[in-house]
Amino acid sequence: MAIKRLFVANRGEIAARIIRSAKAMGIETVVGVSAADRDSLAARMADRAVVLGPAASAKSYLDVNLIVHAAKATGCDALHPGYGFLSEKPQLSRLCEQEGIIFVGPRPETVETLGDKLGARALAKEAGVQTVPGTDHIATLEDARAAAGKLGFPVVMKASAGGGGRGMFKAATAADLDASFERASREAEAAFGDSRLFMEVFVERARHVEVQIVGDGEGNVLHFGERDCTVQRRYQKLIEEAPSVALSDNLRKRLHAAAVKLTSHARYRNAGTVEFLFDVDRQDFYFIEVNSRIQVEHPVSEEITGQDLIALQLRVAGGEGLGMTQDDIRIEGHAIELRINAEDPSRDFAPSPGRITCWQPPSGEGLRLDSHAHQGYLVPPFYDSMVGKLIARGATRAEAIDRLIAAIRDFKLEGIRTTLPLDAHILNHPDFRENTITTRWLEDRVLPSYRPE
């Protein structure tokens, strides 16, 4: 049942990344693009490109029926959603299933359960994996007040259908709770069409750690180590690394076991990431959610394991199974990824679309660049601002940091503003070097005093 022709339902660097692995496996590729991306790198790399619609995502990359129709019309037997857009929408995987197209991802019911944070919390409890102390669905402000009284402040209100930090608001005291509840409910309804909320204890000194897994859908799950994604702004990751040097060996083993236990219980199929909150003071971790797709930061897991996770996704989806055991996955060295976003940190990260007039990436030992950008590329204003990911691998964390700093210095990129200068500042910061950071570190300690050179 190996895949013969793959429809890539995404854009940018992940579309190019998927096409590259598919081609290496002898799989034909068709990419669906918007009118704004008709001349993109992915469109040039694929065996065929079809224009889905205008630049607006709602009329191209977010139109489920249009995408599945395009896949069928071009004779594709499989569809890869990448990340973002429709990748975690059960409607896409369900329609693919109905139309006889292999969905390179989990089953529709799995996507549905895990896409709902309350459902995911319930699944974790069934599997015996500890979650952040919190509540089930909170329907009213009175319920929220009562729950906060039991949990103790600070707390955070969360949207059950939320993601990417949206629908999340902290309440440090009882005086903040009313506003946090109303804002979370309003944003959840506007962003997701689902105003359901729940509450969790706010962990003051936390790190974000996550485990990369791949399952065969029959209860067999492999892990590819953990990643540390603690450097965040407004719950958006900027720098990711693997493995996490904040964990003891015992905690690391427990973390991997919890991720495998949860996803095995769910009979998870294909690639996914199990996310945890690591409480620095208590030296313990709590389950947050499962991202039922490949993630932006998957390259660091590839670099420390030597595995091609996209190729593994395609093999599992094609019915070839995992083809390896946990003993076959060896973790060596350290890898760090930074996101190159077309944003201006000096102007509160305002988008910086425009023409790239100079694009001369660095090269050297241990460096990798995943990008769809090139000299002359016009960064459109319609989509996510990321234009690439720069990854460095080293025998040690210090070596990976040094390679990244040198790579940023050698990267000649002109025509747009990017986050590269801020990335360099972060990598050179003594707190980052000494690994004493938390998820609040960037916003509380770095950005208030950051002045671009």
Side-chain angles (χ1 to χ4, degrees), residues 8 28 38 139 149-150 195 203 222 247 255-256 277 308 322 335 354 378 394 413 416 444:
V8 180
E28 290 183 47
R38 66 169 72 239
K150 292 178 182 177
S195 62
V203 178
L222 301 176
L247 302 177
L255 185 81
H256 296 166
L277 196 67
D308 183 334
L322 294 169
L378 182 63
L413 201 172
I416 59 171
D444 291 349

Side-chain angles (χ1 to χ4, degrees), residues 261-273:
K261 186 178 182 181
L262 172 59
T263 46
S264 295
H265 179 73
R267 299 177 71 82
Y268 191 93
R269 184 186 71 192
N270 218 268
T273 300

